[in-house]
Amino acid sequence: MSTTVRRLGGLLGALAAALLCVLTAGAGTASAHAALTATDPRQGSVVPEAPRQVRLTFSEGVLLGADSVRVLDPKGARVDDGRPAHVDGRSETAAVALRTGIANGTYTVAWQAVSADSHPVAGAFTFSVGAPSATTVKAAVKGTDPVVGTLYDTARYAAYAGFALLVGGCVFAAVCHTGRGVRRVAVGGWVALFLATAALSLLRGAYTSGRGPGAVLDLSLLGDALSSRPGAALLTRLLLLSAAAVVLAVVFGEHARPGGGRRAYAWGLGAGGGLVAAGLAATWAAAEHASAGLQPWVAMPVDVLHLLGVGVWLGGLAALLAALGAEEPLPGGAARRFSRLAFTAVCVLVATGIYQAWRQVGGWAALTGTEYGRWLLVKVGLVGVLVVLAAFSRRWTARIGDRAPARGPRPKAVPEKPGGAAGASPERAAQLARQRAAMAKAAGRRERAADEGRSGLRRAVLAEAVVAVVLLAVTTVLTTTQPGRAETEQKRAGRTDGGPSASAAGPVEARIAYDTGGKDGRGTARVTVAPGRSGTNTVDVTLTDPAGRPVDVPEVAVSFTEKEKGIGPLRAPLKRLSAGRSRASGFQLPMAGRWQLTLTVRTSEIDQVTEIEDVKID
């Protein structure tokens, strides 16, 4: 392999590691997917007498646990009675009964559930019976533990990558070319997908409950998590992987049937492998975005096709790269067959991607006005780059013939002692054998490098693989981001349901000067809370240096505490938008009042400062 290819290979590995770090840096702060759109009693309201139950309505279906809705009196004692349940079987609702005879005062409702698309959501709000009162409740609104979130998102990325390698490697071997390198790609994909799925199954309970790493082996949490639809999907994936292991053994084993039965055997193997691959893809479609929202009966099959297209294309690229770097030369016909196969996969991706974009985004404005839309634009751009690179690969493919590359001069034999190897000691004979093998390997490497067509194709495919690593990372981020259509509907519901957002009050803004004491540690933070009322808000943070230029820092965090009533701190799940800009969407402030805004800025490993400012929320 040439020096250029080795350098690009190192770049690919470094880029993969860097992307995983970026991907998991915000673990535990993923945007909410099921948003609270209405409550009964309304948040912040005063009702004349105690209600029989508290009812919550979400923007999409949620999965409920035994403690999904807790109602606390002014002193912090629970007054809810029984397990929360859906109202009239509607999965987007949750209701819990209240004990009889509760006194007047302000009550806090803390809720925590799992969206139908498998992501945990949580929040809190208050209402009063008779008249508002002072409360000492500390609202226990748990987000995902940062360590658990990092591990979970890493395993999610590894699962997508493993699926692509497994499917792409098997399809490449069945249609184009088989070999040791292709087998390693497919088997490596199987191992990665198995280990990642096992890790996701163990982490699921702690991930959805907001518990730390110590809760991973909590059998009660594990049982609750695996009995849910996402948990069942993970268990199904593990079972399907046992069938995938059989497919791997057949595809790469010596099981080809001779004579007239070969065609029927190939069709049977293709049908069985296709069913296993579709089943694996369905474990994602049945538990994530496709299973919730608009037209799930159409979205789930489309999502399966989309994932299969990703596997055939991106996993096939890895298999092609492995085949090009193997000792045995890759026939030109195999490269051309993969070129046609990749073109078909891209057509499937474009068709299914257009439908998914319409379903998840909803409108042109949401492409730039929502986080999901902006990430989708990044994904579309990366696919465009891949298509351009694929065009260069097709040019190199056309220059590859089916004949083996011309061999250069044979390497000189290692001189032996008089009498030949037969007269040498066993140690000397083994050394000579190793030297001859190394020289033959080096000669083969020079021969492959001298083949201009294969070398050019290898470089082009490796460039595609680099972009594919980025594309998989962006796809993983999209699965943890609230769809643009849901975010738009959430905002619309906040304006029309009579809730706090119906007011015309403007956003709340605080400008906070900070100085961490280190180099380039001085600056100003502008924190905006919109619409600045109790309920759902968007928190924007902009950091600028003394010259007014946007500045990035290793860490910025914002939390809110209501000191008088003892609520908080509630941490805003900030996500980086651009240089110096971060945002938390769907952030819940459960009541009006004077809140203490705590800003933490870290500019280096040791330079950090925390500033406090009071803000008024209506």
Side-chain angles (χ1 to χ4, degrees), residues 24 65 143 197 243 289 300 312 375 381 430 450 492:
T24 58
T197 303
H289 287 157
M300 290 171 63
V312 171
W375 277 113
R492 187 181 301 119

Side-chain angles (χ1 to χ4, degrees), residues 33-34 59-62 91 115-118 229 284-297 299-300 359-360 483 485-486:
H33 289 248
S59 59
E60 63 179 54
V62 294
S91 62
S115 294
D117 60 4
S118 81
R229 185 171 64 183
W284 277 281
E288 296 192 349
H289 287 157
S291 64
L294 185 68
Q295 299 178 347
W297 61 91
M300 290 171 63
R359 179 178 180 270
Q360 300 289 13
R485 184 185 291 271

Side-chain angles (χ1 to χ4, degrees), residues 188-282:
W190 187 94
V191 172
L193 182 55
F194 178 84
L195 294 178
T197 303
L200 290 170
S201 301
L202 291 174
L203 292 166
R204 183 71 193 169
Y207 177 72
T208 57
S209 65
R211 303 273 293 276
V216 169
L217 298 180
D218 188 321
L219 295 182
S220 61
L221 282 179
L222 184 62
D224 288 343
L226 295 182
S227 63
S228 65
R229 185 171 64 183
L234 291 172
L235 292 178
T236 302
R237 191 182 303 166
L238 288 173
L239 292 175
L240 286 170
L241 281 172
S242 61
V246 176
V247 174
L248 277 174
V250 174
V251 170
F252 294 100
E254 300 295 335
H255 301 289
R257 292 184 179 275
R262 183 178 300 169
R263 182 179 296 272
Y265 177 79
W267 278 104
L269 177 61
L275 286 175
V276 172
L280 288 171

Side-chain angles (χ1 to χ4, degrees), residues 216-534:
V216 169
L217 298 180
D218 188 321
L219 295 182
S220 61
L221 282 179
L222 184 62
D224 288 343
L226 295 182
S227 63
S228 65
R229 185 171 64 183
L234 291 172
L235 292 178
T236 302
R237 191 182 303 166
L238 288 173
L239 292 175
L240 286 170
L241 281 172
S242 61
V246 176
V247 174
L248 277 174
V250 174
V251 170
F252 294 100
E254 300 295 335
H255 301 289
R257 292 184 179 275
R262 183 178 300 169
R263 182 179 296 272
Y265 177 79
W267 278 104
L269 177 61
L275 286 175
V276 172
L280 288 171
T283 61
W284 277 281
E288 296 192 349
H289 287 157
S291 64
L294 185 68
Q295 299 178 347
W297 61 91
V298 177
M300 290 171 63
V302 168
D303 198 46
V304 169
L305 288 175
H306 193 80
L307 286 170
L308 290 176
V310 170
V312 171
W313 187 20
L314 301 188
L317 280 177
L320 177 59
L321 187 62
L324 287 168
E327 294 292 331
E328 65 274 12
L330 177 71
R336 287 189 289 274
R337 285 193 296 274
F338 176 73
S339 181
R340 292 191 292 269
L341 185 67
F343 178 78
T344 303
V346 170
C347 291
V348 171
L349 285 174
V350 170
T352 55
I354 290 174
Y355 171 78
Q356 288 179 326
W358 168 80
R359 179 178 180 270
Q360 300 289 13
V361 177
W364 293 108
L367 276 175
T368 56
T370 64
E371 184 179 0
Y372 187 94
R374 289 186 289 270
W375 277 113
L376 183 61
L377 289 176
V378 174
K379 180 179 178 180
V380 171
L382 290 172
V383 171
V385 172
L386 271 177
V387 170
V388 172
L389 292 174
F392 287 100
S393 297
R394 287 174 67 89
R395 290 184 180 182
W396 285 111
T397 299
R399 300 175 61 176
I400 297 180
D402 288 317
R403 60 181 177 84
R407 295 185 176 273
R410 296 177 61 86
K412 296 181 179 180
V414 178
E416 299 179 359
K417 294 181 178 180
S425 65
E427 292 80 6
R428 177 58 179 166
Q431 181 184 16
L432 290 172
R434 287 194 298 269
Q435 289 176 347
R436 285 193 292 269
M439 293 179 67
K441 186 174 182 179
R445 187 180 298 116
R446 287 194 298 270
E447 290 172 1
R448 292 194 299 274
D451 185 348
E452 184 181 0
R454 284 173 172 79
S455 296
L457 179 59
R458 186 162 59 244
R459 290 191 296 269
V461 171
L462 190 51
E464 290 184 69
V466 171
V467 180
V469 171
V470 185
L471 181 62
L472 277 178
V474 172
T475 299
T476 309
V477 171
L478 278 171
T479 65
T480 60
T481 303
Q482 183 177 14
R485 184 185 291 271
E487 184 176 336
T488 302
E489 290 176 353
Q490 174 188 342
K491 293 176 181 177
R492 187 181 301 119
R495 292 193 300 267
T496 60
D497 68 355
S501 299
S503 170
V508 175
E509 182 177 299
R511 289 181 177 270
I512 305 173
Y514 65 86
D515 185 355
T516 63
K519 181 182 179 181
D520 300 324
R522 295 177 59 247
T524 301
R526 186 180 67 186
V527 183
T528 304
V529 184
R533 298 186 62 86
S534 61

